[in-house]
Amino acid sequence: MKTRRLGKTGFEVSEIGLGCWQLGGDFGPVGDETATAILDAANQAGVTFWDTADVYGGGLSESRIGAHAKGAGVHLATKLGRGGGLFPDNYSKDGLRKSLEGSAARLGVTALDLAQLHCVPTEVLRAGAIFGWMDEFKAEGLVKHWGASVETIEEGMLCLEQPGLATLQIIFNLFRQDAAEELLPKAAEKDVGIIVRLPLASGLLSGKYDKDTVFEATDHRNYNADGQAFSVGETFAGIEFSRGVELVTELKGLAPSGMEMSQFALRWILDHPQVSTVIAGVSKPEQLADNVAASDQRSLFPALMGQLGVWYEESVKPEIRGGV
């Protein structure tokens, strides 16, 4: 597994990381045996960056990771700000501290490697106090580094103005390409590590779905298909599902011969050098091998990268809901 530097954290992390939302059961039930098998497979594949949050399964994802990760040689990242009575307008220093302490206890650590503000409302970011509190938590030793996970380019640019920001987690994939223009270069200038989430647009870019695919009632791809529960941009990258299936069919015609659709999508992200790691979630341990293989795929030709950019502007961007 190839590694990259995670911005000013100085951590060397695997190019392909592990997104752990699914370990909380938010994509449908995941048993303890399956969760353990996924984490075991990640270890064996050299996946050294695992990303979770306090609200994934009400802490279940963190607890499962904490029971498994001791001595595993991985960097653990969690997120705060969507639970604990904080969201959407009750943020306080004491509330954030309590959230961080709970995460540390579940993960079995005294200091969190990386704590990320979790899709905090734009107006809270603009007010700025929350950034000062995170700086204080770092000074106290509760967190080693802090970052932010955002939903839009505007929010990302706001966060990049903060000197203490070590990482920025963004939605970035073939269906959401806008960050490449200004945000990625600015992050590189600020030495902020870029963590990419939703690299496969909630699985759409795996190429394995058709218009008749049905998701479980407990899966956000069902109950949040049109933004009923949280930002629609967090599900299928804001693309309406049936239209997304059509767009993936177009993409398959552009993929290099012999390259799996999921690896094509991941390779496109990795061909942006400002990206530190890509967190891809899996529901089965055997899926990890396909994701990891993208790290060893050849880079896409510049002409193809340009063609994909034009295709995005003309065919995809007008379809995005929830802002970019």
Side-chain angles (χ1 to χ4, degrees):
M1 169 67 74
K2 297 175 183 176
T3 63
R4 299 186 182 189
R5 181 173 171 273
L6 185 60
K8 64 186 68 165
T9 70
F11 298 156
E12 286 292 325
V13 297
S14 54
E15 286 188 337
I16 302 296
L18 181 66
C20 297
W21 189 357
Q22 77 285 6
L23 298 187
D26 298 297
F27 289 75
V30 175
D32 288 339
E33 185 176 336
T34 299
T36 297
I38 289 171
L39 296 175
D40 282 340
N43 274 334
Q44 293 165 9
V47 176
T48 61
F49 184 81
W50 300 357
D51 177 88
T52 185
D54 58 356
V55 291
Y56 294 168
L60 178 60
S61 176
E62 288 182 327
S63 295
R64 284 173 161 171
I65 291 169
H68 191 283
K70 294 181 177 62
V74 299
H75 292 292
L76 303 179
T78 193
K79 299 188 285 292
L80 73 159
R82 297 292 287 196
L86 298 170
F87 181 84
D89 56 5
N90 194 34
Y91 293 92
S92 69
K93 183 178 176 181
D94 288 343
L96 291 175
R97 184 192 302 278
K98 182 178 179 181
S99 178
L100 290 169
E101 290 172 345
S103 291
R106 288 186 291 273
L107 290 169
V109 299
T110 55
L112 296 161
D113 282 348
L114 176 64
Q116 305 159 95
L117 298 172
H118 192 184
C119 300
V120 169
T122 310
E123 56 270 23
V124 176
L125 298 177
R126 285 200 190 102
I130 199 167
F131 299 123
W133 298 335
M134 296 303 291
D135 284 332
E136 290 183 43
F137 297 142
K138 181 183 177 185
E140 294 169 11
L142 182 54
V143 304
K144 296 177 183 177
H145 303 280
W146 67 269
S149 178
V150 298
E151 292 175 336
T152 66
I153 300 295
E154 177 192 3
E155 292 169 351
M157 298 299 272
L158 278 170
C159 292
L160 284 170
E161 295 299 327
Q162 301 302 315
L165 185 81
T167 65
L168 188 64
Q169 186 175 139
I170 61 172
I171 302 171
F172 186 57
N173 56 50
L174 282 163
F175 284 169
R176 292 285 288 273
Q177 299 185 23
D178 292 74
E181 185 174 349
E182 294 184 12
L183 188 146
L184 293 188
K186 185 169 183 177
E189 175 189 332
K190 302 280 188 177
D191 195 21
V192 170
I194 292 292
I195 302 164
V196 170
R197 75 177 187 280
L198 290 177
L200 300 181
S202 306
L204 254 181
L205 289 167
S206 70
K208 297 178 181 178
Y209 302 152
D210 59 36
K211 292 183 180 181
D212 295 323
T213 300
V214 177
F215 301 99
E216 293 192 40
T218 55
D219 191 320
H220 77 99
R221 292 171 293 188
N222 181 323
Y223 68 78
N224 195 57
D226 295 309
Q228 301 96 316
F230 43 81
S231 171
V232 69
E234 297 288 345
T235 302
F236 304 126
I239 304 293
E240 190 274 324
F241 179 71
S242 61
R243 178 58 180 143
V245 171
E246 294 173 353
L247 290 168
V248 170
T249 300
E250 295 177 19
L251 271 176
K252 288 179 178 178
L254 299 175
S257 177
M259 189 179 289
E260 296 286 339
M261 185 63 218
S262 61
Q263 293 174 15
F264 176 36
L266 293 170
R267 186 66 253 173
W268 179 87
I269 298 169
L270 291 173
D271 282 345
H272 293 82
Q274 303 95 334
V275 171
S276 297
T277 188
V278 180
I279 51 173
V282 297
S283 58
K284 302 175 183 177
E286 54 267 26
Q287 293 171 333
L288 262 167
D290 287 338
N291 292 342
V292 167
S295 180
D296 291 323
Q297 288 282 2
R298 66 185 183 276
S299 293
L300 304 180
F301 291 115
L304 176 55
M305 294 292 282
Q307 185 178 4
L308 290 168
V310 172
W311 170 80
Y312 168 75
E313 290 290 338
E314 294 180 350
S315 299
V316 181
K317 193 169 181 178
E319 306 282 352
I320 295 174
R321 302 171 298 172
V324 295

